[in-house]
Amino acid sequence: MLKIAIIGCGNMGLTYAKSFLQYNLVQKEDLLLIEKNAENKERLLPFGNVVNHIDEQIQRLDVIILAVKPQDSKAVYPELKKYLKPSQLIISIMAGIPIKVLEENLGHTSIVRAMPNTPAQLGMGITGFTAGKHTKIQAILKADNLLNATGKTIFLEDENQLDAVTALSGSGPAYFYYIINAMIEAGVKMGMEESVAALLVKQTMNGSFHLMNNSDKSLQELIANVTSKGGTTEAALNKFKEMGLEDTIKQGLYAAENRAKELSKL
Ligand SMILES: NC(=O)c1ccc[n+]([C@@H]2O[C@H](COP(=O)([O-])OP(=O)(O)OC[C@H]3O[C@@H](n4cnc5c(N)ncnc54)[C@H](OP(=O)(O)O)[C@@H]3O)[C@@H](O)[C@H]2O)c1
């Protein structure tokens, strides 16, 4: 059984701790949770050994997950570097920090870089991940098994593609919430109670998702199925087209990808 440390146990770090325990990938006594924020300590206690700084305990572990915010990474590197052994696998989920930067700062080569998303909290996430040139296949498979505990995984050979993963699925949940919110607000404007509008919109999203996944029709065909000539859907779609919504959505995603690229150069 693996011995694992998670450095930074906020939203994502805690999600990993819970998921690893849920799937028996680690025993509670072999899970070291390193969390600086004292307020988080209480809620972490049921899931592992909680400490507030990196110490020599880290030497006896197999896998170390880096889940602090990117801006906190610089404080972590020198502390972690002191105790690292070449056989240990590092999995970084920090957005925008390239493997090269991790290799240089940690003096370590067994590294996997992953980009999860928040539905990981329910085991329904999707994680794109990539590995350093010197990371062995066994280490990559080990990382895959662990990341799988939070949902699906996809391995990308080209690290640059993680920027697109960030734009599509990493930030993706926010886009869907944004659209759902706009639809609910429109419902309220039409005179509906917010709870009723929310039920209509959320269940429509849920049903549409399942129909899309269980249908042999393309997205265009599914749209056409709802759109009759001169009807209501056509009126909405025409307005979206007139206002350039499709292009706006694409531009938003390109902006996210660009920002991911900028962050990786900081
Ligand atoms: N949330 C997402 O959707 C998402 C998706 C993909 C990737 N990520 C990546 O996942 C990472 C974590 O994100 P998050 O949303 O879980 O952030 P978060 O909730 O802020 O959690 C990070 C935790 O790390 C703690 N911390 C900071 N420095 C530390 C140190 N030196 N040692 C131990 N703990 C330390 C923070 O404490 P303080 O609060 O005291 O600073 C905080 O509790 C980020 O790098 C982010 O880029 C997030």
Side-chain angles (χ1 to χ4, degrees):
M1 189 80 69
L2 289 175
K3 294 181 168 55
I4 303 174
I6 303 176
I7 305 178
C9 296
N11 296 317
M12 296 308 292
L14 179 60
T15 292
Y16 284 108
K18 284 182 180 170
S19 306
F20 296 159
L21 291 169
Q22 185 184 352
Y23 290 101
N24 294 315
L25 296 169
V26 68
Q27 309 271 0
K28 184 183 162 185
E29 55 273 23
D30 293 329
L31 189 52
L32 180 64
L33 303 174
I34 304 170
E35 171 57 49
K36 196 182 71 173
N37 189 333
E39 279 175 31
N40 282 340
K41 193 166 177 182
E42 202 74 1
R43 67 180 184 138
L44 292 172
L45 288 174
F47 306 107
N49 299 316
V50 187
V51 295
N52 59 12
H53 63 276
I54 296 168
D55 62 22
E56 70 284 345
Q57 290 186 71
I58 218 140
Q59 288 173 328
R60 62 177 181 83
L61 308 178
D62 307 298
V63 180
I64 296 146
I65 300 193
L66 275 177
V68 299
K69 292 268 191 225
Q71 60 269 28
D72 292 323
S73 61
K74 288 196 175 81
V76 169
Y77 298 144
E79 292 306 306
L80 182 57
K81 191 177 178 178
K82 280 196 260 179
Y83 302 111
L84 275 182
K85 291 187 301 182
S87 60
Q88 293 175 310
L89 167 66
I90 303 236
I91 303 175
S92 166
I93 63 158
M94 299 183 296
I97 301 201
I99 291 177
K100 197 166 154 278
V101 171
L102 296 168
E103 286 176 345
E104 282 168 10
N105 282 283
L106 294 170
H108 194 80
T109 55
S110 186
I111 297 180
V112 160
R113 182 180 160 205
M115 176 47 61
N117 64 4
T118 49
Q121 290 165 29
L122 300 175
M124 296 181 82
I126 173 100
T127 301
F129 73 106
T130 189
K133 284 190 195 65
H134 309 287
T135 310
K136 296 205 167 72
I137 184 75
Q138 290 89 337
I140 296 175
L141 293 175
K142 197 186 282 177
D144 192 21
N145 280 345
L146 290 172
L147 297 170
N148 246 301
T150 62
K152 293 186 192 297
T153 57
I154 181 158
F155 178 75
L156 301 157
E157 271 183 50
D158 179 2
E159 186 178 359
N160 291 322
Q161 290 197 354
L162 270 200
D163 296 327
V165 171
T166 307
L168 288 168
S169 56
S171 302
Y175 315 150
F176 289 115
Y177 304 142
Y178 183 91
I179 291 167
I180 291 166
N181 190 51
M183 289 174 70
I184 294 171
E185 281 181 9
V188 171
K189 191 94 194 219
M190 291 174 212
M192 274 195 156
E193 286 209 17
E194 189 177 331
S195 58
V196 178
L199 178 65
L200 288 165
V201 175
K202 288 183 194 173
Q203 182 57 21
T204 301
M205 173 122 182
N206 191 21
S208 309
F209 164 75
H210 287 287
L211 189 56
M212 175 181 74
N213 269 0
N214 289 290
S215 166
D216 49 11
K217 293 189 166 71
S218 68
L219 287 170
Q220 281 71 22
E221 286 170 324
L222 288 169
I223 292 172
N225 274 359
V226 197
T227 315
S228 40
K229 223 165 174 40
T232 55
T233 313
E234 191 182 65
L237 293 176
N238 283 343
K239 185 53 103 181
F240 293 160
K241 196 169 178 182
E242 185 190 315
M243 305 207 56
L245 181 61
E246 187 179 327
D247 191 50
T248 303
I249 291 171
K250 289 177 185 166
Q251 294 301 327
L253 268 84
Y254 304 150
E257 189 203 20
N258 277 338
R259 184 66 188 140
K261 287 191 195 309
E262 279 170 13
L263 289 173
S264 64
K265 287 185 194 122
L266 289 181

